Amino acid sequence: MLQDRARAWAPVVLQAVPRLRRVDAAPSSDRSGGQPALAAAAAVVGALTGLTAATFRLLLEHAGEARIDLVRWAHGSPVLGFALVVLVCAAGTSAASWLVHRVEPHAEGSGIPRVEAVVEGRKAPGRFRILPVKYVGGLLSIGSGLALGREGPSVQMGGTIAAVVGRALRRSGPDVRLLVAAGAAAGLATAFNAPIAGGVFVLEELLKRFDPRTTLATLVASAAGFASAHVLLHSSTSDFHVPQLAEPSLAQAPLVLAVGVACGLLGVAYNWSVIRSLRIADTSRWPVVVRAALIGAAVGAVGWFGPGLVGGGDDLTQQALVGHGTVLTVTGLLVLRFVLGVVSYAACTPGGLFAPMLVLGSNLGLLVELLGQTVAPHQTPEPAALALIGMAAFFTATVRAPVTGLVLATEMTGSTTLLPPMLGACAVAMLTAAMLRSTPIYDQLTQRAVNATRVNAAEGHPD
């Protein structure tokens, strides 16, 4: 009887074998050209992303300078000048909101969560028009003074360019997603002049794997983006400058651990506040354009009194890294930038979270240093040391990507002296956030993006 059954099943098995072989062979056929072809495609993606992100960065710098010049000029007529500044900021923010919500909704916010969802296969690569809407919308919103960063738009623009290139080269679906991640690396590398951090962030946070194929594509794109951006930016130096730092000692460990705990606590509060503000915005009955205009007007009012307090905040991070400020001023700046960052992201216009995180982390580290000087001056390192450690620790607490935090802080300052205490502070910050059961910010934002896609599909609006 068993022999009869075997004879009956034999033709079925023999017919299935070729199919099994074809399925097994599919990945190799998808990888047409092998690793050299993939590396070449990644290089193209990186070069195009580098040029796009570099022009975006240059125009943002000009927009920030123009906003500051406007405020200075408007102070010649206090009443009308104040109204003009508020009106200009409100108009720019509302225009960015209109572009997002009327032309391309997928250009909203940072862009990193959407790229992460695409890389994970939970969302399809978006349309090309994400790129121009993200570009122009980012210039309008960040240029108007919203406390947002350039890295989010740069990452999503890189992912969009990668999707277009991957389709043009007829790469497979998995390869297109891999190129999207590579484009994201190039965008981050250009935004922060940090090619290694760009690659590491994508491998640690987006892809969450370090196999040879993904590593090759990511690092090639990051290097190509950095190289092509150099043609326009003409700068290979670090974004931030720190004084010569002394070697760390064990006597400073208590304050380093204090920075880690403080960053962990503030990071948890920041993540909760950002997500809470988005939920309020999602359920608000106010039209999105009106809401964005009001937020822009409020930011413009703050910028009237302190032009350097609004925008991405690179100058504020630089001031912290050289130790400028008192306990009172740094505390006030922390509170103001915390609120500005949360409210600005709730406007749902293009803009990232990295740069605001660096402002908060560096100033929190500086605040711990200033307090330490009053309690234990001989065990307290110089201000730049704890400010730099705070940058990496706060990023780790919010994003939960410690390697990226370490590499990013190191590349952006060009300082490697404090890597051991930075590592300890990052570990403590990560442990603090984990013990408080805080979900990493991009995981929450990615899930929000996926949920929005499901809602749109249920309402008959395809992704």
Side-chain angles (χ1 to χ4, degrees), residues 274-367:
V274 169
I275 299 302
R276 179 61 179 167
S277 69
L278 289 174
R279 289 174 181 168
I280 294 174
D282 291 339
T283 57
S284 173
R285 295 182 179 180
W286 286 79
V288 289
V289 174
V290 174
R291 187 174 68 242
L294 292 175
I295 293 174
V299 171
V302 174
W304 166 264
F305 295 101
L309 296 177
V310 298
D314 285 357
D315 290 341
L316 298 175
T317 301
Q318 179 60 65
Q319 290 176 18
L321 289 172
V322 294
H324 286 172
T326 63
V327 171
L328 183 61
T329 58
V330 174
T331 302
L333 177 61
L334 270 172
V335 173
L336 176 64
R337 288 294 302 194
F338 187 100
V339 174
L340 277 180
V342 171
V343 172
S344 295
Y345 202 77
C348 297
T349 59
L353 292 170
F354 270 37
M357 290 178 190
L358 298 180
V359 176
L360 293 176
S362 60
N363 280 276
L364 183 57
L366 175 60
L367 179 61

Coordinates of all heavy atoms in Angstrom, one line a residue, residues 274-367:
V274 N 6.2 64.5 22.0 CA 6.0 64.6 20.6 C 4.8 63.8 20.1 O 4.0 64.2 19.3 CB 7.3 64.1 19.9 CG1 7.1 63.9 18.4 CG2 8.5 65.1 20.1
I275 N 4.7 62.5 20.6 CA 3.6 61.7 20.2 C 2.3 62.2 20.7 O 1.3 62.2 20.0 CB 3.8 60.2 20.7 CG1 5.1 59.6 20.1 CG2 2.7 59.3 20.4 CD1 5.2 59.6 18.6
R276 N 2.3 62.7 21.9 CA 1.0 63.3 22.4 C 0.6 64.5 21.6 O -0.6 64.7 21.3 CB 1.3 63.7 23.9 CG 0.1 64.4 24.6 CD -1.1 63.4 24.6 NE -2.3 64.0 25.3 CZ -3.5 63.5 25.3 NH1 -3.7 62.4 24.6 NH2 -4.5 64.1 25.9
S277 N 1.5 65.4 21.2 CA 1.2 66.5 20.4 C 0.6 66.1 19.0 O -0.3 66.8 18.5 CB 2.4 67.4 20.2 OG 3.4 66.8 19.4
L278 N 1.2 65.0 18.5 CA 0.7 64.6 17.2 C -0.8 64.0 17.3 O -1.6 64.2 16.4 CB 1.6 63.5 16.6 CG 2.9 64.0 16.1 CD1 3.8 62.8 15.7 CD2 2.8 65.0 14.9
R279 N -1.0 63.3 18.4 CA -2.4 62.8 18.7 C -3.4 63.9 18.8 O -4.5 63.9 18.3 CB -2.4 61.9 19.9 CG -1.7 60.6 19.7 CD -1.6 59.8 21.0 NE -0.9 58.5 20.8 CZ -0.4 57.8 21.8 NH1 -0.6 58.1 23.0 NH2 0.2 56.6 21.5
I280 N -3.0 65.0 19.5 CA -3.8 66.2 19.6 C -4.1 66.8 18.3 O -5.2 67.2 17.9 CB -3.2 67.2 20.6 CG1 -3.2 66.6 22.0 CG2 -4.0 68.5 20.6 CD1 -2.5 67.5 23.0
A281 N -3.0 66.9 17.5 CA -3.2 67.5 16.1 C -4.1 66.6 15.2 O -4.9 67.1 14.5 CB -1.8 67.6 15.5
D282 N -3.9 65.3 15.4 CA -4.7 64.4 14.5 C -6.2 64.5 14.9 O -7.1 64.3 14.0 CB -4.3 62.9 14.7 CG -2.9 62.7 14.1 OD1 -2.5 63.5 13.2 OD2 -2.3 61.7 14.5
T283 N -6.6 64.8 16.1 CA -8.0 64.9 16.5 C -8.5 66.3 16.5 O -9.7 66.5 16.9 CB -8.1 64.2 17.9 OG1 -7.3 64.9 18.9 CG2 -7.8 62.8 17.9
S284 N -7.7 67.2 16.2 CA -8.1 68.6 16.3 C -9.1 69.0 15.1 O -9.0 68.4 14.0 CB -6.8 69.6 16.1 OG -7.2 70.9 16.0
R285 N -10.0 69.8 15.4 CA -11.0 70.3 14.4 C -10.5 71.5 13.6 O -11.2 71.9 12.7 CB -12.3 70.6 15.1 CG -13.0 69.4 15.8 CD -14.3 69.7 16.4 NE -15.0 68.5 17.0 CZ -16.1 68.6 17.6 NH1 -16.8 69.7 17.7 NH2 -16.6 67.5 18.1
W286 N -9.4 72.0 14.1 CA -8.8 73.2 13.3 C -8.3 72.7 12.0 O -7.7 71.6 11.9 CB -7.7 73.8 14.1 CG -8.1 74.6 15.3 CD1 -8.5 74.1 16.5 CD2 -8.3 76.0 15.4 NE1 -8.9 75.1 17.4 CE2 -8.7 76.3 16.7 CE3 -8.1 77.1 14.5 CZ2 -9.0 77.6 17.2 CZ3 -8.3 78.4 15.0 CH2 -8.7 78.6 16.2
P287 N -8.5 73.5 10.9 CA -7.9 73.1 9.6 C -6.4 73.1 9.8 O -5.8 73.9 10.5 CB -8.4 74.2 8.7 CG -9.6 74.8 9.3 CD -9.4 74.6 10.8
V288 N -5.7 72.1 9.1 CA -4.3 71.9 9.3 C -3.5 73.2 8.9 O -2.5 73.5 9.5 CB -3.8 70.7 8.5 CG1 -4.3 69.4 9.1 CG2 -4.3 70.8 7.0
V289 N -4.0 73.9 7.8 CA -3.2 75.1 7.4 C -3.4 76.2 8.4 O -2.4 76.9 8.7 CB -3.8 75.5 6.0 CG1 -3.1 76.9 5.6 CG2 -3.5 74.5 5.0
V290 N -4.5 76.3 9.0 CA -4.7 77.3 10.1 C -3.9 77.0 11.3 O -3.2 77.9 11.9 CB -6.2 77.4 10.4 CG1 -6.4 78.4 11.6 CG2 -7.0 77.9 9.3
R291 N -3.9 75.7 11.7 CA -3.1 75.3 12.8 C -1.6 75.6 12.6 O -0.9 76.1 13.5 CB -3.3 73.8 13.1 CG -2.6 73.3 14.4 CD -3.0 71.9 14.7 NE -2.5 71.0 13.7 CZ -3.2 70.2 12.9 NH1 -4.5 70.2 13.0 NH2 -2.7 69.3 12.1
A292 N -1.1 75.3 11.4 CA 0.3 75.5 11.1 C 0.6 77.0 11.1 O 1.7 77.4 11.5 CB 0.6 74.9 9.7
A293 N -0.3 77.8 10.6 CA -0.1 79.3 10.6 C 0.0 79.8 12.0 O 0.8 80.7 12.3 CB -1.3 80.0 9.8
L294 N -0.8 79.3 12.9 CA -0.8 79.8 14.3 C 0.6 79.4 14.9 O 1.2 80.2 15.7 CB -1.9 79.2 15.1 CG -3.3 79.7 14.7 CD1 -4.4 79.0 15.5 CD2 -3.4 81.2 15.0
I295 N 1.0 78.2 14.7 CA 2.3 77.7 15.2 C 3.4 78.6 14.6 O 4.3 79.0 15.3 CB 2.5 76.2 14.9 CG1 1.5 75.4 15.7 CG2 4.0 75.8 15.2 CD1 1.6 73.9 15.4
G296 N 3.3 78.9 13.3 CA 4.4 79.7 12.7 C 4.3 81.1 13.3 O 5.4 81.7 13.5
A297 N 3.2 81.6 13.5 CA 3.1 83.0 14.1 C 3.7 83.0 15.5 O 4.4 83.9 15.9 CB 1.6 83.4 14.2
A298 N 3.4 81.9 16.3 CA 4.0 81.9 17.7 C 5.5 81.8 17.6 O 6.3 82.5 18.4 CB 3.5 80.7 18.4
V299 N 6.1 81.0 16.7 CA 7.5 80.9 16.5 C 8.1 82.2 16.0 O 9.2 82.6 16.5 CB 7.8 79.7 15.5 CG1 9.3 79.8 15.2 CG2 7.5 78.4 16.1
G300 N 7.4 82.9 15.1 CA 7.8 84.2 14.7 C 7.9 85.2 15.8 O 8.8 86.0 15.9
A301 N 6.9 85.1 16.7 CA 7.0 86.0 17.9 C 8.2 85.8 18.8 O 8.8 86.7 19.3 CB 5.7 85.9 18.7
V302 N 8.5 84.5 19.0 CA 9.7 84.1 19.7 C 10.9 84.6 19.0 O 11.9 85.2 19.6 CB 9.8 82.6 20.0 CG1 11.1 82.2 20.6 CG2 8.6 82.1 20.8
G303 N 11.0 84.4 17.7 CA 12.1 84.9 16.9 C 12.3 86.4 16.9 O 13.4 86.9 16.7
W304 N 11.2 87.1 17.1 CA 11.3 88.6 17.2 C 12.2 89.0 18.3 O 13.0 89.9 18.2 CB 9.9 89.2 17.3 CG 9.9 90.6 17.7 CD1 9.7 91.1 18.9 CD2 10.0 91.8 16.8 NE1 9.8 92.5 18.9 CE2 10.0 92.9 17.6 CE3 10.2 91.9 15.4 CZ2 10.1 94.2 17.1 CZ3 10.3 93.2 14.9 CH2 10.2 94.3 15.7
F305 N 12.0 88.3 19.5 CA 12.7 88.7 20.7 C 14.1 88.0 20.7 O 15.1 88.5 21.3 CB 11.9 88.3 21.9 CG 10.7 89.0 22.1 CD1 9.5 88.5 21.7 CD2 10.7 90.3 22.6 CE1 8.3 89.2 21.9 CE2 9.5 91.1 22.7 CZ 8.3 90.5 22.4
G306 N 14.2 86.9 20.1 CA 15.5 86.2 20.0 C 15.7 85.4 18.7 O 15.3 84.2 18.6
P307 N 16.2 86.1 17.7 CA 16.3 85.4 16.4 C 17.1 84.1 16.4 O 16.8 83.2 15.6 CB 17.0 86.5 15.5 CG 16.7 87.8 16.2 CD 16.7 87.5 17.6
G308 N 18.0 84.0 17.3 CA 18.9 82.8 17.3 C 18.2 81.7 18.1 O 18.8 80.5 18.1
L309 N 17.1 81.9 18.7 CA 16.4 80.9 19.5 C 15.6 79.9 18.7 O 15.2 78.8 19.2 CB 15.5 81.5 20.6 CG 16.3 82.3 21.6 CD1 15.3 83.0 22.6 CD2 17.3 81.5 22.4
V310 N 15.2 80.3 17.5 CA 14.4 79.5 16.6 C 15.2 78.8 15.5 O 16.4 79.1 15.4 CB 13.2 80.3 16.1 CG1 12.4 80.9 17.2 CG2 13.7 81.5 15.2
G311 N 14.5 78.0 14.7 CA 15.2 77.3 13.6 C 15.8 76.0 14.1 O 15.5 75.5 15.2
G312 N 16.7 75.5 13.2 CA 17.3 74.2 13.5 C 18.1 74.2 14.8 O 18.1 73.1 15.5
G313 N 18.8 75.3 15.2 CA 19.4 75.4 16.4 C 20.9 75.0 16.5 O 21.5 74.8 17.5
D314 N 21.6 75.0 15.3 CA 23.0 74.6 15.3 C 23.8 75.6 16.1 O 24.8 75.2 16.8 CB 23.5 74.6 13.8 CG 23.0 73.3 13.1 OD1 22.4 72.5 13.7 OD2 23.3 73.2 11.9
D315 N 23.5 76.9 16.0 CA 24.2 77.9 16.8 C 24.1 77.7 18.3 O 25.0 77.9 19.1 CB 23.8 79.3 16.4 CG 24.2 79.7 15.0 OD1 25.1 79.0 14.5 OD2 23.6 80.6 14.4
L316 N 22.9 77.2 18.7 CA 22.7 76.9 20.1 C 23.5 75.8 20.6 O 24.0 75.7 21.7 CB 21.2 76.7 20.4 CG 20.2 77.8 20.0 CD1 18.8 77.4 20.2 CD2 20.6 79.1 20.9
T317 N 23.6 74.7 19.7 CA 24.4 73.6 20.1 C 25.9 74.0 20.2 O 26.6 73.6 21.1 CB 24.3 72.5 19.0 OG1 22.9 72.1 19.0 CG2 25.1 71.3 19.3
Q318 N 26.3 74.8 19.2 CA 27.7 75.3 19.2 C 28.0 76.1 20.5 O 29.1 75.9 21.1 CB 28.0 76.1 18.0 CG 29.4 76.7 17.9 CD 30.5 75.6 17.9 OE1 30.5 74.8 16.9 NE2 31.3 75.5 18.9
Q319 N 27.1 76.9 20.9 CA 27.3 77.7 22.1 C 27.5 76.8 23.3 O 28.3 77.1 24.2 CB 26.2 78.7 22.3 CG 26.1 79.8 21.3 CD 24.9 80.7 21.5 OE1 24.3 80.7 22.5 NE2 24.6 81.5 20.4
A320 N 26.7 75.8 23.4 CA 26.8 74.8 24.5 C 28.1 74.1 24.5 O 28.7 73.9 25.6 CB 25.6 73.8 24.4
L321 N 28.6 73.8 23.3 CA 29.9 73.1 23.2 C 31.1 73.9 23.6 O 32.2 73.3 23.8 CB 30.0 72.5 21.8 CG 29.1 71.4 21.4 CD1 29.2 71.1 19.9 CD2 29.4 70.1 22.3
V322 N 30.9 75.2 23.7 CA 32.0 76.0 24.2 C 31.7 76.6 25.5 O 32.5 77.4 26.1 CB 32.3 77.2 23.2 CG1 32.8 76.6 21.9 CG2 31.1 78.1 22.9
G323 N 30.6 76.2 26.2 CA 30.3 76.5 27.5 C 29.7 77.8 27.8 O 29.8 78.4 28.9
H324 N 29.0 78.4 26.8 CA 28.4 79.7 27.0 C 27.1 79.5 27.8 O 26.2 78.7 27.4 CB 28.1 80.4 25.7 CG 29.3 80.9 25.0 ND1 29.4 81.4 23.7 CD2 30.6 81.0 25.5 CE1 30.6 81.8 23.4 NE2 31.4 81.6 24.5
G325 N 26.9 80.3 28.8 CA 25.6 80.3 29.5 C 25.8 80.2 31.0 O 26.8 79.8 31.5
T326 N 24.7 80.5 31.7 CA 24.6 80.3 33.2 C 23.5 79.3 33.5 O 22.8 78.9 32.5 CB 24.3 81.7 33.9 OG1 23.0 82.1 33.4 CG2 25.3 82.7 33.5
V327 N 23.4 78.9 34.7 CA 22.3 77.9 35.1 C 21.0 78.4 34.7 O 20.2 77.7 34.1 CB 22.4 77.7 36.6 CG1 21.2 76.8 37.0 CG2 23.7 77.0 37.0
L328 N 20.7 79.7 34.9 CA 19.4 80.3 34.6 C 19.1 80.3 33.1 O 18.1 79.9 32.7 CB 19.3 81.7 35.2 CG 17.9 82.4 35.1 CD1 16.8 81.5 35.7 CD2 17.9 83.8 35.6
T329 N 20.1 80.8 32.4 CA 19.9 81.0 30.9 C 19.8 79.6 30.2 O 19.0 79.4 29.3 CB 21.0 81.8 30.3 OG1 22.3 81.2 30.6 CG2 21.0 83.2 30.8
V330 N 20.6 78.7 30.6 CA 20.6 77.3 30.0 C 19.3 76.6 30.4 O 18.7 75.9 29.5 CB 21.8 76.5 30.4 CG1 21.7 75.1 29.9 CG2 23.1 77.2 29.9
T331 N 18.8 76.7 31.6 CA 17.5 76.1 32.0 C 16.4 76.7 31.2 O 15.5 76.0 30.7 CB 17.3 76.3 33.5 OG1 18.4 75.8 34.2 CG2 16.0 75.7 33.9
G332 N 16.4 78.0 31.0 CA 15.4 78.7 30.2 C 15.4 78.2 28.8 O 14.4 78.0 28.2
L333 N 16.6 78.1 28.2 CA 16.8 77.7 26.9 C 16.3 76.2 26.7 O 15.6 75.9 25.7 CB 18.2 77.8 26.4 CG 18.6 77.3 25.0 CD1 17.8 78.1 24.0 CD2 20.1 77.4 24.8
L334 N 16.6 75.4 27.7 CA 16.1 74.0 27.6 C 14.6 73.9 27.6 O 14.0 73.2 26.7 CB 16.6 73.2 28.8 CG 18.0 72.5 28.6 CD1 18.4 71.9 30.0 CD2 17.9 71.4 27.6
V335 N 13.9 74.7 28.4 CA 12.5 74.6 28.5 C 11.9 75.2 27.2 O 11.0 74.6 26.6 CB 12.0 75.5 29.7 CG1 10.5 75.6 29.6 CG2 12.4 74.8 31.0
L336 N 12.4 76.3 26.7 CA 11.9 76.9 25.5 C 12.1 76.0 24.3 O 11.2 75.8 23.5 CB 12.7 78.2 25.2 CG 12.3 79.0 23.9 CD1 10.8 79.4 23.9 CD2 13.2 80.2 23.7
R337 N 13.3 75.4 24.1 CA 13.5 74.6 22.9 C 12.8 73.3 23.0 O 12.4 72.7 22.0 CB 15.0 74.3 22.8 CG 15.8 75.5 22.3 CD 15.5 75.9 20.9 NE 15.7 74.9 19.9 CZ 15.7 75.0 18.6 NH1 15.6 76.2 18.1 NH2 15.9 74.0 17.8
F338 N 12.5 72.8 24.2 CA 11.7 71.6 24.4 C 10.3 71.8 23.9 O 9.8 71.1 23.1 CB 11.7 71.2 25.9 CG 11.0 69.8 26.1 CD1 11.7 68.7 26.4 CD2 9.6 69.7 26.2 CE1 11.1 67.5 26.6 CE2 9.0 68.5 26.4 CZ 9.8 67.4 26.6
V339 N 9.7 72.9 24.3 CA 8.4 73.3 23.9 C 8.3 73.6 22.4 O 7.4 73.1 21.7 CB 7.8 74.5 24.7 CG1 6.5 74.9 24.2 CG2 7.7 74.1 26.2
L340 N 9.3 74.4 21.9 CA 9.3 74.7 20.5 C 9.5 73.5 19.6 O 8.8 73.4 18.6 CB 10.5 75.7 20.2 CG 10.3 77.2 20.5 CD1 11.5 77.9 20.1 CD2 9.1 77.7 19.7
G341 N 10.3 72.5 20.0 CA 10.5 71.3 19.2 C 9.2 70.5 19.1 O 8.8 70.0 18.1
V342 N 8.5 70.4 20.3 CA 7.3 69.6 20.3 C 6.2 70.3 19.5 O 5.5 69.6 18.6 CB 6.8 69.4 21.7 CG1 5.4 68.7 21.8 CG2 7.8 68.5 22.5
V343 N 6.0 71.6 19.7 CA 5.0 72.3 19.0 C 5.3 72.4 17.5 O 4.4 72.3 16.6 CB 4.8 73.7 19.6 CG1 3.9 74.6 18.7 CG2 4.3 73.6 21.0
S344 N 6.5 72.6 17.1 CA 6.9 72.7 15.7 C 6.6 71.4 15.0 O 6.1 71.4 13.8 CB 8.4 73.0 15.6 OG 8.7 74.3 16.1
Y345 N 6.9 70.3 15.6 CA 6.7 69.0 14.9 C 5.2 68.7 14.8 O 4.7 68.1 13.8 CB 7.3 67.8 15.7 CG 7.5 66.6 14.8 CD1 8.6 66.6 13.9 CD2 6.7 65.5 14.9 CE1 8.8 65.5 13.1 CE2 6.9 64.4 14.1 CZ 8.0 64.4 13.2 OH 8.1 63.3 12.4
A346 N 4.4 69.3 15.7 CA 2.9 69.1 15.6 C 2.3 69.9 14.4 O 1.1 69.7 14.1 CB 2.3 69.6 16.9
A347 N 3.1 70.8 13.8 CA 2.6 71.5 12.7 C 2.5 70.6 11.5 O 1.8 71.0 10.5 CB 3.5 72.7 12.3
C348 N 3.1 69.4 11.5 CA 3.0 68.4 10.5 C 3.5 68.9 9.1 O 3.0 68.6 8.1 CB 1.6 67.9 10.3 SG 1.0 67.1 11.8
T349 N 4.6 69.7 9.2 CA 5.2 70.2 8.0 C 6.6 69.5 7.9 O 7.0 68.8 8.8 CB 5.5 71.7 8.1 OG1 6.3 72.0 9.2 CG2 4.2 72.5 8.1
P350 N 7.2 69.5 6.7 CA 8.5 68.8 6.6 C 9.6 69.4 7.6 O 9.7 70.6 7.7 CB 8.9 69.1 5.1 CG 7.6 69.4 4.4 CD 6.8 70.1 5.4
G351 N 10.2 68.5 8.2 CA 11.3 68.8 9.2 C 11.6 67.7 10.1 O 10.8 66.9 10.4
G352 N 12.9 67.6 10.5 CA 13.4 66.5 11.2 C 13.5 66.7 12.7 O 13.3 67.8 13.2
L353 N 14.0 65.7 13.4 CA 14.1 65.7 14.9 C 15.5 65.7 15.4 O 15.8 66.0 16.5 CB 13.3 64.5 15.5 CG 11.8 64.5 15.4 CD1 11.3 63.2 15.8 CD2 11.2 65.6 16.2
F354 N 16.5 65.3 14.5 CA 17.8 65.2 14.9 C 18.4 66.5 15.5 O 18.9 66.5 16.6 CB 18.7 64.7 13.8 CG 18.8 63.2 13.6 CD1 17.7 62.4 13.9 CD2 20.0 62.6 13.2 CE1 17.8 61.1 13.7 CE2 20.1 61.3 13.0 CZ 19.0 60.5 13.3
A355 N 18.4 67.5 14.7 CA 19.0 68.8 15.1 C 18.4 69.3 16.4 O 19.1 69.7 17.3 CB 18.8 69.8 14.0
P356 N 17.1 69.3 16.6 CA 16.5 69.7 17.9 C 17.0 68.8 19.1 O 17.2 69.3 20.2 CB 15.0 69.6 17.7 CG 14.8 69.8 16.3 CD 16.0 69.1 15.6
M357 N 17.2 67.5 18.8 CA 17.7 66.6 19.8 C 19.1 67.0 20.3 O 19.5 67.0 21.4 CB 17.8 65.2 19.3 CG 16.4 64.5 19.2 SD 16.6 62.9 18.5 CE 15.0 62.4 18.1
L358 N 19.9 67.4 19.3 CA 21.3 67.8 19.6 C 21.3 69.1 20.5 O 22.2 69.2 21.4 CB 22.1 68.0 18.3 CG 22.3 66.8 17.4 CD1 23.1 67.2 16.2 CD2 22.9 65.7 18.1
V359 N 20.4 70.0 20.2 CA 20.3 71.2 21.0 C 20.0 70.8 22.5 O 20.6 71.3 23.4 CB 19.3 72.2 20.5 CG1 19.1 73.4 21.4 CG2 19.6 72.6 19.1
L360 N 19.0 70.0 22.7 CA 18.6 69.6 24.0 C 19.7 68.8 24.7 O 19.9 69.1 25.9 CB 17.3 68.8 23.9 CG 16.0 69.6 23.5 CD1 14.8 68.6 23.3 CD2 15.7 70.7 24.4
G361 N 20.3 67.9 24.0 CA 21.3 67.0 24.7 C 22.5 67.8 25.1 O 23.0 67.7 26.2
S362 N 23.0 68.7 24.2 CA 24.2 69.5 24.5 C 23.9 70.4 25.7 O 24.8 70.6 26.6 CB 24.7 70.2 23.3 OG 23.7 71.1 22.8
N363 N 22.8 71.1 25.7 CA 22.5 72.1 26.7 C 22.2 71.4 28.1 O 22.5 71.9 29.1 CB 21.3 73.0 26.3 CG 21.8 74.1 25.4 OD1 22.3 75.1 25.8 ND2 21.7 73.9 24.1
L364 N 21.6 70.2 28.0 CA 21.4 69.4 29.2 C 22.7 69.0 29.8 O 22.9 69.1 31.1 CB 20.5 68.2 29.0 CG 20.1 67.4 30.2 CD1 19.4 68.2 31.2 CD2 19.3 66.2 29.8
G365 N 23.6 68.6 29.0 CA 25.0 68.3 29.5 C 25.7 69.5 30.1 O 26.3 69.4 31.1
L366 N 25.5 70.6 29.4 CA 26.1 71.9 29.9 C 25.5 72.3 31.3 O 26.2 72.7 32.2 CB 25.9 73.0 28.9 CG 26.4 74.4 29.4 CD1 27.8 74.4 29.7 CD2 26.0 75.4 28.3
L367 N 24.2 72.1 31.4 CA 23.5 72.4 32.7 C 24.0 71.5 33.8 O 24.3 72.0 34.9 CB 22.0 72.2 32.5 CG 21.1 72.5 33.8 CD1 21.3 73.9 34.2 CD2 19.7 72.2 33.5

